Amino acid sequence: MGLRILLVSCLLLTAWVQCQETQNMTPEEMTVIRDQVIEMFDHAYGNYMKHAYPADELMPLSCKGRVRGQEPNRGDIDESLGKFSLTLIDTLDTLVVLNKLDEFEEAVRKTVKDVRLDNDVVVSVFETNIRVLGGLLGAHVMADLFRQRGERMQCGLPYPKINLRYGVLNPLSRIGAETDTCTACAGTMILEFAALSRLSGESVFEKHARKALDVLWSKRQKESDLVGTVINIHNGEWIRRDSGVGAGIDSYYEYLMKAYILLGDHVFLERFNIHYNAIMKYISQPPLLLNVHMHNPTVSVRSWMDSLLAFFPGLQVLRGDLKPAIETHEMLYQVTKQHKFLPEAFTTEFRVHWGQHLLRPEFAESTYYLYKATGDPYYLRVGQSIVEKLNVYARVPCGFAAVQDVRTGTHEDRMDSFFLAEMFKYLYLLFSDKSQLPINIDDYPPCQDNMTYSEASHAEDLFTHSCPSPDTLFPNNPSFAKSIRDGYKYLTGVGRAFKPLPLREIELPLHDNGLESVEFLKSMGISLMPLNEAMAGITKEHKGVYQIKLVAELSQTSEEEEVVPHIVQLISPPFVGRTVLTAGPAKFGMDLTKQEHGVKGSIVRAVPFTACGPLENTAEIKGHIALSLRGDCMFAAKARQLQDAGATGVIFIDHREGSNSNDSPLFQMVGDGGSTADIKIPLVFLFSREGQVLLDALDEHRNVDVLLLPKERQLGQENKHEKPTGMNIEIR
């Protein structure tokens, strides 16, 4: 009976299947199944990217990547694994088929940036051919197709260099390998290219210049509305994230405003106004214009300014923001009175940082604009001083020579074209009235289709939507400018004994911790030093005042977040695991808690030790764990530099002499405010005394192997399952 029922059931099932096969599938059913397939792919690919990448495969039960050599050998099954992110490459064309084009572009970027095909691993020729070579070829065909369509796979930023005869892509061009360009370099084309298009009738020039501006706009930091200084032309990633209005960015802002004036396109004005509000919020600290981190704009990243920012007061005049323009211009004028010319760079205390002066015209340009805006003859006197100093200090028998160092007055054998093209133009206009000009300078260029004011802009100032024109916007009111300038008359100390600006004090109510404030901050890795009373002019009421420099590398953990202690264990003879150094972890880079056996390698000291400049021993660093001294630049910058040199890990050593893990609480190193997803190697931090043990060992034995791992997994430790000790610090 049971068999009969089974047979009947099978017949019914077969009939149902056959019936289903003969029926047409509705579009709705196809959609449901297609969506299901996509969901399944998303689940598989998403987990690979989340838990395994850049490993070759995902281990779906362990939720981690399979890395050859770190898991039990599976024989010839493992011969398809070459430490080249196999799953990512093999999946590239599938991303296209499933119409996941954003993910495809991102995967191509990762492949170009991260995948290495020169690993010391024996692989199957067959598997590598069909999976890796096949995957790369399929991805190339798809990417090239999208590029030719103009749809994808092109960032839209111009190459930084070009061969006038052969262009960029020709083998004879001798260029094309460049990857980075400055923001100003990419964003300073719209005026010329738009004019060329309008005059020639060929729209292609303006189209590409607009596209470059569109890319820069899209890559701004959305929370701060600031841009960085250097960007990768292929993937749009920021290479340098410092943001200011000087070198590297300056003319990007200038061209946004002037593109609106020339073309009458409100998109450019709206973008400029958004950037300008961010500049005034984060960068402008009148009379100074500082550089900040685009992702963490409340932190200044350097203590000096460059002379190219001298154009900015003139741009502020075009914007209609006269007060900060007057303040910054006066500061610049005081610096020229102190050093004869604007040094190429000068500190926030107005000392020379770089002494060169290339006869740049930006200060004269801003002087001209301010005179046109205010009618104040003071700016004629400023212009006169420019003329006199050029004649006295830069004139040479055959022209005008750049100044090699403003402190010595030595000359440099150069006279850049901008000196003739711009300096004399602004000086001539400054000292001429309209009757002495062959054209009405205020008519060029006319604003097109501009709003002077509208109901929609009541919350904004008049100049947000106004065409800059000195005749209509700015009254001839010299007293207005003077009232602002007077507060900065002796800013640099020229003309009277220097008197410092008032000290800004911060109260630190930390005594309830059982530590004195200074000692508590010192334990946190924050160094304080007493101000030099003679230099700083500290009076008696300022006894005990400290100059404090806060470093954004420190991470303050919440009560719920534990700092898991790591170790650097010396495992080569004569140490053989007996020397164990307590180390702090990093919030970026490889997560050592997920590496069962830690990371092993021989150590090499980076040269220079801070790893902030070009490395001199990249050949030695490759394949080794690098030692680097803390300081001079961010942890993330050092890590990228050493990773690019081929380091398999980094041990940072504290630069504060005498610091040690017994007296100082551990902390987690954090990044530079931007994405640190590109940093894949393990990173740990040693205090000074522990680091010195490592350096001494290296000096004595030369070849020293270490193991980086969480403390709970220390080799030779009897209780391997002991819960790690968390160290919490709460700052009130």
Side-chain angles (χ1 to χ4, degrees):
M1 184 66 179
L3 179 60
R4 183 180 297 172
I5 293 173
L6 180 60
L7 287 173
V8 171
S9 300
C10 288
L11 288 171
L12 290 173
L13 178 61
T14 302
W16 179 81
V17 171
Q18 291 174 344
C19 180
Q20 288 293 103
E21 288 175 348
T22 60
Q23 288 184 355
N24 291 328
M25 181 174 288
T26 66
E28 291 77 15
E29 291 174 298
M30 294 173 66
T31 299
V32 169
I33 297 173
R34 185 168 61 249
D35 290 344
Q36 186 178 9
V37 171
I38 292 174
E39 187 279 329
M40 295 162 67
F41 174 86
D42 288 343
H43 178 70
Y45 182 72
N47 276 285
Y48 166 73
M49 295 304 295
K50 180 179 180 181
H51 297 296
Y53 179 82
D56 283 313
E57 293 178 349
L58 169 69
M59 299 175 66
L61 299 182
S62 306
C63 288
K64 65 179 183 179
R66 182 182 299 280
V67 179
R68 192 168 172 180
Q70 294 186 12
E71 303 296 332
N73 188 284
R74 301 179 300 169
D76 57 7
I77 296 177
D78 281 343
E79 289 179 359
S80 61
L81 309 180
K83 296 183 178 179
F84 39 37
S85 302
L86 175 65
T87 300
L88 178 74
I89 293 177
D90 216 6
T91 309
L92 287 170
D93 56 354
T94 308
L95 290 167
V96 176
V97 173
L98 270 61
N99 201 33
K100 294 184 173 294
L101 302 187
D102 288 337
E103 291 87 342
F104 174 64
E105 283 198 62
E106 180 61 25
V108 170
R109 292 192 188 102
K110 289 182 179 296
T111 301
V112 172
K113 184 176 181 181
D114 298 336
V115 172
R116 297 185 60 178
L117 300 173
D118 59 349
N119 302 306
D120 185 13
V121 179
V122 177
V123 297
S124 162
V125 173
F126 167 73
E127 297 291 352
T128 304
N129 179 63
I130 63 171
R131 299 197 200 187
V132 179
L133 183 57
L136 291 173
L137 287 171
H140 171 76
V141 171
M142 294 295 100
D144 192 56
L145 176 64
F146 291 134
R147 184 186 62 79
Q148 291 183 26
R149 289 179 181 174
E151 297 172 356
R152 289 181 176 267
M153 308 312 298
Q154 46 190 339
C155 189
L157 297 175
Y159 280 89
K161 299 178 183 178
I162 190 170
N163 184 300
L164 290 176
R165 172 175 290 185
Y166 297 110
V168 173
L169 301 179
N170 191 300
L172 298 175
S173 68
R174 302 190 305 280
I175 56 174
E178 292 84 355
T179 60
D180 305 333
T181 191
C182 71
T183 302
C185 305
T188 309
M189 303 180 73
I190 186 63
L191 297 182
E192 295 83 358
F193 274 44
L196 181 58
S197 284
R198 304 297 173 95
L199 294 171
S200 67
E202 296 288 341
S203 62
V204 63
F205 308 110
E206 183 175 341
K207 175 184 175 183
H208 285 290
R210 284 178 177 266
K211 187 172 184 180
L213 288 175
D214 290 343
V215 171
L216 291 174
W217 173 253
S218 70
K219 296 299 181 181
R220 77 192 187 283
Q221 213 290 322
K222 301 302 190 297
E223 294 182 4
S224 68
D225 286 317
L226 297 173
V227 293
T229 305
V230 177
I231 191 170
N232 185 293
I233 64 173
H234 299 295
N235 59 30
E237 292 184 359
W238 290 107
I239 305 302
R240 280 185 51 190
R241 297 174 174 84
D242 50 312
S243 186
V245 297
I249 303 179
D250 50 354
S251 51
Y252 165 65
Y253 293 132
E254 177 187 13
Y255 269 46
L256 277 179
M257 166 60 92
K258 292 182 179 178
Y260 165 67
I261 299 172
L262 178 66
L263 306 174
D265 189 330
H266 288 275
V267 169
F268 296 126
L269 180 62
E270 290 165 4
R271 291 180 182 178
F272 173 80
N273 281 329
I274 290 172
H275 281 315
Y276 185 76
N277 290 336
I279 291 168
M280 298 310 293
K281 181 177 181 180
Y282 300 115
I283 293 172
S284 176
Q285 297 187 23
L288 307 181
L289 291 166
L290 304 179
N291 271 53
V292 300
H293 196 292
M294 62 183 290
H295 296 283
N296 190 10
T298 59
V299 175
S300 178
V301 298
R302 68 188 192 196
S303 60
W304 50 271
M305 298 171 280
D306 64 80
S307 64
L308 282 171
L309 61 77
F311 89 100
F312 198 70
L315 191 63
Q316 290 179 304
V317 172
L318 290 180
R319 172 62 176 71
D321 203 356
L322 285 184
K323 184 176 184 294
I326 293 168
E327 292 172 326
T328 298
H329 180 274
E330 184 62 22
M331 177 269 291
L332 295 170
Y333 183 40
Q334 296 297 326
V335 173
T336 66
K337 291 168 88 172
Q338 183 174 1
H339 301 295
K340 299 183 180 66
F341 295 105
L342 274 182
E344 191 71 352
F346 52 94
T347 70
T348 52
E349 292 83 24
F350 315 114
R351 296 191 298 269
V352 173
H353 185 70
W354 297 331
Q356 194 178 36
H357 174 71
L358 300 179
L359 310 180
R360 295 192 185 278
E362 286 78 13
F363 179 62
E365 176 185 10
S366 290
T367 302
Y368 164 71
Y369 278 120
L370 276 167
Y371 176 65
K372 294 292 288 185
T374 65
D376 190 340
Y378 177 85
Y379 296 108
L380 295 177
R381 295 299 179 187
V382 175
Q384 181 184 12
S385 75
I386 297 173
V387 172
E388 291 175 349
K389 287 173 181 174
L390 286 172
N391 274 317
V392 173
Y393 301 109
R395 181 185 291 273
V396 292
C398 295
F400 288 81
V403 179
Q404 191 172 54
D405 194 320
V406 297
R407 290 165 292 195
T408 62
T410 53
H411 287 141
E412 188 173 345
D413 193 12
R414 61 185 292 182
M415 187 180 75
D416 291 85
S417 63
F418 51 68
F419 178 65
L420 285 168
E422 299 182 60
M423 177 70 83
F424 293 110
K425 183 185 299 175
Y426 291 120
L427 291 175
Y428 179 78
L429 288 172
L430 177 62
F431 293 101
S432 303
D433 59 41
K434 292 182 180 181
S435 65
Q436 297 165 320
L437 301 175
I439 59 174
N440 185 350
I441 198 71
D442 292 326
D443 288 342
Y444 295 89
C447 286
Q448 303 173 15
D449 186 31
N450 289 332
M451 295 184 298
T452 305
Y453 195 70
S454 69
E455 292 298 323
S457 62
H458 279 304
E460 300 171 316
D461 60 85
L462 167 66
F463 301 100
T464 300
H465 297 287
S466 296
C467 174
S469 173
D471 286 343
T472 57
L473 295 183
F474 308 120
N476 286 333
N477 183 7
S479 62
F480 171 75
K482 183 178 185 301
S483 65
I484 297 170
R485 281 197 311 269
D486 283 350
Y488 300 94
K489 189 174 182 180
Y490 300 109
L491 185 68
T492 65
V494 174
R496 72 175 184 190
F498 177 67
K499 194 171 184 178
L501 295 174
L503 285 169
R504 296 181 180 180
E505 301 179 12
I506 302 175
E507 184 178 353
L508 299 172
L510 302 171
H511 300 283
D512 56 340
N513 288 274
L515 287 170
E516 290 296 322
S517 301
V518 173
E519 291 304 314
F520 180 77
L521 289 171
K522 185 177 179 181
S523 74
M524 287 291 296
I526 302 175
S527 299
L528 293 89
M529 62 179 181
L531 286 166
N532 185 309
E533 296 187 7
M535 293 295 294
I538 298 178
T539 54
K540 291 183 178 180
E541 62 267 23
H542 287 104
K543 292 288 185 181
V545 173
Y546 287 81
Q547 185 181 53
I548 181 170
K549 183 176 182 181
L550 298 177
V551 182
E553 295 171 334
L554 298 184
S555 169
Q556 298 151 8
T557 57
S558 65
E559 292 182 358
E560 295 79 16
E561 184 179 10
E562 289 185 335
V563 178
V564 178
H566 285 46
I567 59 169
V568 177
Q569 190 165 15
L570 283 66
I571 57 177
S572 56
F575 308 101
V576 292
R578 292 190 294 268
T579 301
V580 180
L581 308 173
T582 301
K587 282 193 172 183
F588 59 102
M590 180 186 293
D591 186 352
L592 286 170
T593 64
K594 296 181 180 179
Q595 307 298 315
E596 185 175 352
H597 304 296
V599 172
K600 174 186 174 183
S602 300
I603 57 174
V604 170
R605 177 173 174 150
V607 180
F609 199 13
T610 59
C612 292
L615 295 170
E616 300 173 13
N617 61 334
T618 53
E620 298 175 31
I621 289 173
K622 186 175 182 180
H624 294 77
I625 294 175
L627 305 182
S628 176
L629 187 68
R630 178 185 183 182
D632 290 351
C633 63
M634 303 295 282
F635 286 127
K638 300 172 189 282
R640 288 190 182 93
Q641 176 106 311
L642 293 165
Q643 178 176 267
D644 290 345
T648 58
V650 181
I651 301 171
F652 296 111
I653 298 175
D654 196 4
H655 60 351
R656 297 176 302 122
E657 187 175 350
S659 65
N660 62 88
S661 59
N662 291 327
D663 300 334
S664 303
L666 290 181
F667 63 87
Q668 283 185 298
M669 295 178 288
V670 296
D672 54 8
S675 172
T676 51
D678 58 316
I679 301 175
K680 308 295 183 184
I681 57 177
L683 314 165
V684 297
F685 177 85
L686 291 178
F687 287 107
S688 175
R689 287 186 189 171
E690 285 83 351
Q692 193 59 50
V693 172
L694 206 56
L695 293 172
D696 291 344
L698 187 61
D699 289 341
E700 183 176 355
H701 302 285
R702 299 206 173 183
N703 294 321
V704 178
D705 293 339
V706 300
L707 189 62
L708 312 180
L709 71 169
K711 191 171 185 178
E712 62 172 343
R713 297 179 189 163
Q714 174 181 328
L715 288 183
Q717 184 171 282
E718 294 183 4
N719 186 6
K720 293 185 179 181
H721 301 290
E722 181 181 355
K723 185 178 178 181
T725 303
M727 298 186 180
N728 299 320
I729 300 170
E730 180 182 4
I731 295 184
R732 298 186 182 276

